[in-house]
């Protein structure tokens, strides 16, 4: 087994390292900026609606949809149409 996760990357593409850094964090500590009202909120402080196959995160200030996670037969899909940025 590899000691470093970077050793497991196929092809060693440097951009893959950036994606690993972006997605290897505690998402509840991430700040998210609403595209509609420009408010920045801590993702872990926002309410999540939905059920076992869908989660929807809305802006606490304006109520716009920020992020939607959906479980499909092929895997999970993350949509972020209402988020301008994630800060991690």
């Amino acid at each position: 087994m590899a000691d470093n996760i970077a050793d497991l990357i196929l092809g060693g593409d440097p951009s893959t390292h950036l994606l690993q850094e972006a997605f290897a964090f505690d998402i509840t500590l991430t700040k998210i900026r609403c595209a509609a009202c420009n408010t920045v909120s801590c993702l872990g402080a926002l309410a999540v609606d939905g059920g076992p196959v869908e989660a929807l995160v809305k802006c606490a200030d304006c109520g716009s949809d920020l992020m939607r996670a959906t479980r499909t037969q092929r895997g999970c899909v993350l949509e972020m149409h209402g988020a301008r940025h994630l800060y991690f």
Side-chain angles (χ1 to χ4, degrees):
M1 178 111 173
D3 292 327
N4 186 341
I5 191 80
D7 295 336
L8 300 175
I9 297 173
L10 297 176
D13 188 345
S15 61
T16 308
H17 291 283
L18 180 59
L19 290 174
Q20 278 185 326
E21 183 180 322
F23 290 101
F25 59 89
D26 180 357
I27 193 140
T28 62
L29 301 176
T30 302
K31 292 182 180 170
I32 188 167
R33 181 181 299 273
C34 178
C37 71
N38 220 28
T39 298
V40 176
S41 303
C42 197
L43 192 56
L46 297 174
V48 178
D49 293 327
V53 295
E54 183 176 74
L56 180 61
V57 179
K58 291 185 174 263
C59 177
D61 282 358
C62 73
S64 294
D65 293 350
L66 295 176
M67 183 184 301
R68 178 188 310 268
T70 308
R71 185 180 316 277
T72 69
Q73 292 178 343
R74 293 183 171 184
C76 292
V77 176
L78 181 63
E79 298 174 54
M80 295 181 37
H81 297 290
R84 185 175 305 255
H85 301 288
L86 283 180
Y87 302 95
F88 47 92

